[in-house]
Amino acid sequence: MTARRGLFVAPFDALADPRVIGDLAARAEAAGWEGFFLWDHLQYRDGVTDIADVWTCCAVVAMRTSRLLLGPMVTPLARRRPQVLARQAASLAQLSSGRFVLGLGLGDDWVREFSAYGDEESPRVRGAMLDDGLTVLTALLSGEPVDHEGPHFAARGVQHRPAARVPIWLAGRFPNAVPLRRAARHDGFFVIGLDGPDDVSAVLADLAAQSPRDGFEVVIDLRTEQDHAPWLDSGATWVLTRIGPFDLDLAEVERFIDAGPS
């Protein structure tokens, strides 16, 4: 089955304006793209100065489109409060009429997005926070009463309404086993660090051993200059084209999006 096509957009510099992101999303939908996913960063490497808030951008995309899947790709749960994230995700699911996808991951500190703000620097601890936070988040999204006392997060005798069906895609670097096993318990795996289309077969084999749920998504991203053709029938269900992060010329981005997936 040929993969669905989406965009993986860094809302940086020329694109660091929710109004611009909304315009691009509307153009993407008109051009036949099926997904519009946004990087979630507080800061980035030298060469990037302006960054837009991903949640504001997601709300704008939801309002400017009617068919595109949308969401952050990915949010490090260790720097979020899962109860607040649950409210945000449920509201965006409602605003988008069920088109919101929540991409989550461990996050990196290579540009000091954790340490610069006094957040957790240890990847091992962030992994434990991700697992504990997922327990709270998914329970709250269910709309059922929640009573959780975990090592990092608590939800004591609470209930969030309205309930929301929010697909959760977990990110992880190939061929690390822990992120794959974590993703298999949810709705999708955003695989980072693949060398070639054959690597997708290895991912699929490892996932099969974990018995993921029906409709599980395997998501990859490629640069604009890469040959997408070999990847489209690799077994991945989504192929995202990366827009950014550097030298974002708005007119160039618009031309690329308007050309549609090819």
Side-chain angles (χ1 to χ4, degrees):
M1 184 177 69
T2 302
R4 300 174 73 180
R5 303 294 302 279
L7 295 165
F8 182 42
V9 180
F12 297 167
D13 294 330
L15 276 55
D17 182 333
R19 295 166 297 184
V20 170
I21 292 296
D23 290 343
L24 294 178
R27 297 175 86 118
E29 185 166 87
W33 298 93
E34 297 177 88
F36 195 95
F37 302 99
L38 292 154
W39 299 30
D40 184 7
H41 283 278
L42 298 176
Q43 56 194 45
Y44 207 71
R45 294 202 306 256
D46 291 346
V48 169
T49 55
D50 297 1
I51 298 177
D53 171 64
V54 70
W55 302 98
T56 306
C57 289
C58 282
V60 174
V61 173
M63 292 298 293
R64 293 291 308 274
T65 62
S66 60
R67 297 186 305 277
L68 287 176
L69 264 64
L70 63 115
M73 201 62 60
V74 297
T75 287
L77 187 50
R79 73 165 182 241
R80 305 285 184 187
R81 302 180 71 182
Q83 65 270 28
V84 176
L85 187 60
R87 287 293 192 201
Q88 292 172 317
S91 292
L92 281 164
Q94 190 173 45
L95 186 64
S96 65
S97 300
R99 295 179 291 124
F100 180 72
V101 175
L102 182 55
L104 295 173
L106 197 63
D108 285 313
D109 198 41
W110 59 280
V111 289
R112 299 179 61 243
E113 286 193 277
F114 290 89
S115 56
Y117 300 97
D119 290 330
E120 181 56 57
E121 299 179 42
S122 165
R124 184 178 295 275
V125 176
R126 291 203 305 274
M129 293 174 73
L130 175 55
D131 289 329
D132 194 30
L134 277 163
T135 299
V136 174
L137 175 68
T138 54
L140 291 172
L141 287 171
S142 75
E144 298 298 320
V146 180
D147 204 340
H148 173 85
E149 196 73 44
H152 299 283
F153 302 108
R156 304 179 182 118
V158 294
Q159 184 176 17
H160 280 199
R161 303 287 296 179
R165 169 70 181 115
V166 177
I168 294 175
W169 297 353
L170 273 298
R173 190 168 296 279
F174 177 78
N176 295 345
V178 172
L180 182 144
R181 291 197 298 267
R182 181 183 289 124
R185 297 192 292 269
H186 296 277
D187 303 288
F189 186 27
F190 179 32
V191 197
I192 302 166
L194 298 171
D195 290 328
D198 289 346
D199 288 342
V200 178
S201 298
V203 170
L204 293 172
D206 290 343
L207 281 168
Q210 301 296 321
S211 301
R213 63 187 63 178
D214 290 342
F216 188 86
E217 306 284 5
V218 176
V219 187
I220 62 174
D221 77 286
L222 303 174
R223 298 183 304 277
T224 53
E225 68 271 16
Q226 284 183 268
D227 181 7
H228 287 39
W231 296 86
L232 295 176
D233 297 310
S234 65
T237 61
W238 279 89
V239 172
L240 309 182
T241 301
R242 194 182 312 168
I243 303 295
F246 300 111
D247 301 321
L248 290 168
D249 178 87
L250 182 55
E252 245 177 62
V253 171
E254 289 173 341
R255 283 193 295 271
F256 178 82
I257 290 175
D258 288 346
S262 57

